[in-house]
């Protein structure tokens, strides 16, 4: 059996295999020649002291010991071409992992996705960035792989109680992700690498007899005696099946409207909303690593910060070291920001959502919309930001603008319009706006106080080098589709399985994938009876 060891080392030692072996040999009082191999089991960074260290957990294989390293392989999938069919709406992580789990159990998934396949999405992302044209079915939120595919690919989740995180990570590795995601404390695939993995998952679904239908939008759910009978799509086709996994993501407003129209029970859900802040990555490095230059052995520094202001949490969300800010609107006449990083995290800027937790009472001005009140609150801010950034002009160019309101951070805290806004990583561009005009007064005040508090905890964070972009509004679903905690079926409609972020039961790639598997497993249990 290999010996396991937990210890700290400098970045220089952690990054050099031979030097690491010599260091470990000294720790266990062996000659380095007596060690044949060291496997890293866990890796994280400790930047609490001035001298930054790596925490490593390793397995040490001595000469003569059998060197057995686990090879991660795909599950034994069955061909399901002629099996019972289950409809899966949405090809994000919840939908794709639900489909894979269904195949494992011998069931045939029919995946319908309103957007395009993962490669085809790129043209539409280019259009929103360079031409300011929003395709309502193909954008950063909609399309194969879901919102995470082209907005970072972070795999970290705090939701350990939701299910088997390791299984999901291992499946990603089996489909081509770096094994590093099994080791790193905050695993990350990267927007540049995730598309190929998503494509390989889809090809496996089809190879094993499942179906994946792109540019196919759900327009109706066929229900008889409060039980699902099938769905109708935008091309007029009907797909019959009495089990439906609804995994449409947190931005599928038309689905919430459809459910509301059909009097299928849904409820307003609180979410978080704010701005996306961009700093030079070198500044974040100097704050987090307490150095002028981080060197070649440390990765671009992330940060995570949480404060309580006015009885509400204000916190960093989806922090992207070495990343850029992206336009994530899903309809013309609105603007939305998000962030992503390539796998190397080698961009010159760092960005993070800085968001405030909302309460259901905040949606009272939109009470006439019932369960959709939070969604309408969200929409109103996105539309106001669009107008303030230039969309209120009558020129055709301005009508489809994706510019966003922007302000220097210190200027924002001082209620002062920024005289200039430097070029940021947000490609469609910015308009200098006093950010307080974007948000309700109570949110503006909390943001101002929050940034001041952040500056006290992270010296140098509160600076006019930092540029705020508004809004960061798609943090989670503004609607919950309630389901039975045991069966995972909708409380009212049999055979309907609300799933993932869009239903209010996940918050990121990993937790969505886990929820997709859970829903598929419940269906398998029912059909085996």
């Amino acid at each position: 059996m290999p010996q396991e060891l937990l210890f700290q080392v400098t970045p220089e030692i952690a990054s050099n295999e031979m030097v690491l072996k010599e260091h470990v040999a000294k720790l266990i009082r062996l000659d380095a020649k007596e060690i044949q191999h060291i496997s890293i089991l866990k890796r994280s960074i400790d930047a609490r002291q001035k001298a930054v260290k790596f925490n490593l957990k390793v397995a040490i294989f001595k000469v003569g010991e059998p060197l057995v390293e686990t090879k991660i392989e795909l599950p034994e999938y069955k061909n399901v071409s002629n099996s019972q069919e289950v409809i899966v709406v949405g090809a994000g992580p919840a939908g794709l992992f639900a489909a894979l789990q269904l195949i494992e159990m011998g069931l045939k998934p029919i995946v319908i996705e309103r957007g395009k396949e993962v490669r085809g999405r790129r043209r539409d992302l280019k259009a929103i960035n360079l031409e300011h044209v929003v395709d309502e079915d193909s954008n950063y939120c909609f399309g194969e792989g879901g919102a995470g595919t082209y907005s970072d690919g972070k795999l970290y989740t705090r939701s350990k109680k939701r299910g088997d995180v390791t299984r999901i990570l291992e499946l990603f590795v089996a489909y081509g992700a770096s094994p590093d995601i099994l080791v790193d404390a905050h695993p990350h695939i990267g927007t540049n690498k995730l598309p190929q993995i998503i494509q390989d998952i889809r090809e496996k679904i089809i190879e094993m007899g499942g179906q994946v239908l792109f540019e196919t939008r759900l327009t109706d759910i066929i229900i008889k005696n409060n039980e699902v009978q099938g769905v109708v799509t935008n091309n007029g086709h009907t797909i019959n099946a009495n089990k439906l996994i609804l995994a449409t993501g947190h931005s599928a407003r038309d689905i919430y409207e459809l459910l509301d129209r059909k009097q299928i029970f849904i409820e307003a859900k609180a979410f978080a909303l704010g701005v996306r802040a961009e700093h030079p990555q070198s500044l974040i490095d100097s704050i987090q690593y307490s150095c002028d230059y981080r060197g070649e052995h440390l990765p671009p520094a992330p940060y995570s910060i949480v404060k309580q202001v006015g009885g509400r949490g204000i916190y960093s969300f989806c922090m992207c070291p070495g990343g850029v800010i992206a336009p994530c609107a899903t309809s013309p006449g609105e603007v939305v920001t998000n962030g992503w990083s390539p796998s190397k995290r080698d961009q010159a800027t760092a960005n993070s959502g800085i968001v405030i937790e909302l309460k259901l009472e905040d949606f009272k001005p939109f009470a006439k919309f019932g369960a959709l009140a939070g969604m309408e609150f969200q929409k109103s801010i996105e539309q106001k930001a669009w107008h303030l950034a230039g969309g209120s002009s009558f020129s055709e160019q301005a009508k489809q603008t994706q510019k966003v309101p922007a302000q220097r951070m210190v200027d924002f805290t001082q209620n002062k319009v920024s005289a200039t806004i430097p070029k940021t990583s947000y490609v469609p561009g910015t308009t200098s706006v006093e950010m307080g005009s974007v948000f309700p007064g109570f949110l503006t005040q909390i943001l101002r106080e929050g940034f001041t508090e952040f500056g006290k905890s992270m010296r140098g964070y509160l600076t006019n080098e930092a540029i705020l972009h508004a809004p960061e509004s798609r943090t989670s679903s503004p609607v919950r589709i309630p389901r039975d905690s045991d069966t995972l079926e909708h409380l009212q409609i049999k055979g309907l399985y609300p799933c993932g972020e869009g239903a209010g039961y996940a918050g990121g790639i990993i937790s969505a994938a886990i929820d997709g598997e859970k829903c598929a497993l419940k269906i398998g249990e029912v059909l085996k009876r």
Side-chain angles (χ1 to χ4, degrees):
M1 289 288 291
Q3 179 181 349
E4 292 189 1
L5 191 64
L6 184 64
F7 57 96
Q8 281 194 333
V9 290
T10 64
E12 291 77 14
I13 293 174
S15 63
N16 186 307
E17 188 175 339
M18 290 305 298
V19 175
L20 178 62
K21 182 184 284 191
E22 290 172 2
H23 182 83
V24 169
K26 287 179 182 178
L27 289 176
I28 62 174
R29 298 181 181 180
L30 275 182
D31 189 310
K33 293 179 182 177
E34 296 181 63
I35 298 175
Q36 65 166 321
H37 181 70
I38 295 174
S39 288
I40 296 175
L41 304 177
K42 292 294 176 185
R43 177 172 51 215
S44 62
I45 294 176
D46 185 348
R48 292 172 295 179
Q49 308 300 322
K50 187 159 187 177
V52 179
K53 298 289 183 69
F54 273 79
N55 298 314
L56 295 181
K57 181 181 181 182
V58 303
I60 305 160
F61 293 86
K62 298 169 189 171
V63 172
E65 287 184 334
L67 180 55
V68 180
E69 291 202 81
T70 304
K71 184 180 179 183
I72 296 172
E73 297 180 336
L74 291 175
E76 294 270 340
Y77 293 124
K78 309 167 184 177
N79 189 291
V80 295
S81 301
N82 299 314
S83 300
Q84 184 163 348
E85 295 176 343
V86 176
I87 300 168
V88 180
V89 184
L96 291 176
F97 278 79
L100 290 175
Q101 184 64 67
L102 289 167
I103 291 171
E104 270 195 73
M105 296 184 298
L107 298 170
K108 178 180 178 177
I110 301 178
V111 182
I112 65 174
E113 167 56 51
R114 69 189 296 162
K116 297 177 182 175
E117 52 84 20
V118 70
R119 305 289 178 188
R121 289 176 71 182
R122 288 178 172 172
R123 290 185 292 273
D124 300 311
L125 301 187
K126 184 177 180 181
I128 194 172
N129 273 290
L130 300 181
E131 301 166 27
H132 300 224
V133 175
V134 181
D135 184 320
E136 294 188 67
D137 289 319
S138 180
N139 44 62
Y140 277 98
C141 291
F142 299 146
E144 185 180 21
T149 303
Y150 289 109
S151 59
D152 205 50
K154 277 190 281 291
L155 302 178
Y156 177 65
T157 179
R158 293 185 179 90
S159 304
K160 306 296 185 186
K161 294 180 181 178
R162 290 185 192 271
D164 191 348
V165 173
T166 301
R167 171 181 159 84
I168 301 300
L169 293 175
E170 288 180 346
L171 276 171
F172 272 117
V173 172
Y175 280 102
S178 167
D180 284 347
I181 67 173
L182 300 173
V183 170
D184 290 330
H186 292 81
H188 169 256
I189 292 179
T191 294
N192 54 324
K193 292 189 174 182
L194 195 51
Q196 183 61 53
I197 294 167
I198 296 300
Q199 180 177 313
D200 289 347
I201 290 173
R202 176 239 304 164
E203 289 174 353
K204 178 59 70 174
I205 291 169
I206 294 171
E207 177 192 340
M208 302 316 298
Q211 287 182 265
V212 183
L213 308 175
F214 294 112
E215 299 182 68
T216 303
R217 192 196 308 179
L218 173 71
T219 57
D220 198 10
I221 302 172
I222 304 168
I223 297 169
K224 187 176 180 181
N225 298 325
N226 284 338
E227 185 168 357
V228 167
Q229 302 293 306
V231 300
V232 180
T233 67
N234 58 318
N235 49 27
H237 293 162
T238 297
I239 303 172
N240 296 311
N242 62 8
K243 295 289 182 282
L244 166 61
I245 296 177
L246 192 62
T248 49
H250 60 41
S251 292
R253 289 170 172 165
D254 60 320
I255 297 300
Y256 301 138
E257 290 166 347
L258 170 65
L259 298 178
D260 192 52
R261 216 167 38 245
K262 293 180 74 70
Q263 297 184 324
I264 296 173
F265 182 48
I266 58 176
E267 57 192 11
K269 183 180 83 60
F271 58 103
L273 182 144
V275 298
R276 188 151 281 266
E278 180 169 276
H279 290 78
Q281 180 62 55
S282 57
L283 175 59
I284 299 300
D285 290 341
S286 68
I287 295 170
Q288 296 297 84
Y289 293 147
S290 302
C291 61
D292 293 330
Y293 171 62
R294 77 168 186 265
E296 61 180 308
H297 302 299
L298 283 171
Y303 66 84
S304 176
I305 193 162
V306 181
K307 296 289 182 183
Q308 283 287 319
V309 175
R312 296 179 190 246
I314 175 171
Y315 57 93
S316 54
F317 169 82
C318 184
M319 195 274 151
C320 301
V324 300
I325 300 177
C328 293
T330 51
S331 294
E334 66 185 26
V335 288
V336 179
T337 64
N338 200 345
W340 62 266
S341 301
S343 58
K344 292 184 179 179
R345 293 181 159 171
D346 54 1
Q347 301 300 300
T349 50
N351 69 78
S352 179
I354 304 299
V355 297
I356 298 163
E357 59 181 5
L358 298 175
K359 301 176 181 178
L360 293 178
E361 64 200 52
D362 299 328
F363 309 149
K364 282 183 180 177
F366 300 88
K368 68 179 182 180
F369 295 100
L372 303 181
M375 187 183 85
E376 293 297 328
F377 173 92
Q378 180 189 63
K379 192 189 299 185
S380 71
I381 289 176
E382 294 169 0
Q383 291 173 349
K384 184 186 289 186
W386 176 80
H387 278 283
L388 291 169
S392 57
S393 167
F394 289 105
S395 72
E396 285 303 312
Q397 174 98 20
K399 279 184 182 178
Q400 57 187 35
T401 187
Q402 280 296 297
K403 284 187 174 183
V404 294
Q407 192 171 12
R408 293 178 184 267
M409 188 182 285
V410 174
D411 289 347
F412 172 65
T413 63
Q414 296 176 353
N415 193 17
K416 184 172 75 174
V417 175
S418 299
T420 61
I421 300 290
K423 182 177 174 59
T424 73
S425 68
Y426 184 81
V427 172
T430 60
T431 300
S432 181
V433 169
E434 203 298 287
M435 208 69 79
S437 57
V438 176
F439 303 103
F442 75 95
L443 287 181
T444 300
Q445 187 58 35
I446 291 171
L447 278 169
R448 285 186 175 134
E449 292 182 31
F451 283 122
T452 301
E453 291 299 312
F454 285 10
K456 293 175 184 176
S457 298
M458 293 177 62
R459 300 290 180 182
Y461 184 88
L462 180 59
T463 171
N464 260 352
E465 284 189 82
I467 310 301
L468 308 181
H469 303 64
E472 169 78 45
S473 50
R474 305 286 178 94
T475 56
S476 69
S477 171
V479 173
R480 177 174 282 108
I481 308 173
R483 68 189 189 189
D484 183 276
S485 59
D486 181 38
T487 67
L488 304 189
E489 279 185 304
H490 187 270
L491 296 179
Q492 173 191 4
I493 307 298
K494 284 184 64 65
L496 175 61
Y497 292 80
C499 181
E501 283 203 54
Y505 298 101
I509 292 173
I510 294 293
S511 58
I514 288 172
D515 203 55
E517 286 201 335
K518 285 168 61 178
C519 288
L521 285 166
K522 287 295 183 182
I523 289 174
E525 288 176 14
V526 170
L527 295 180
K528 283 179 183 176
R529 290 173 191 163

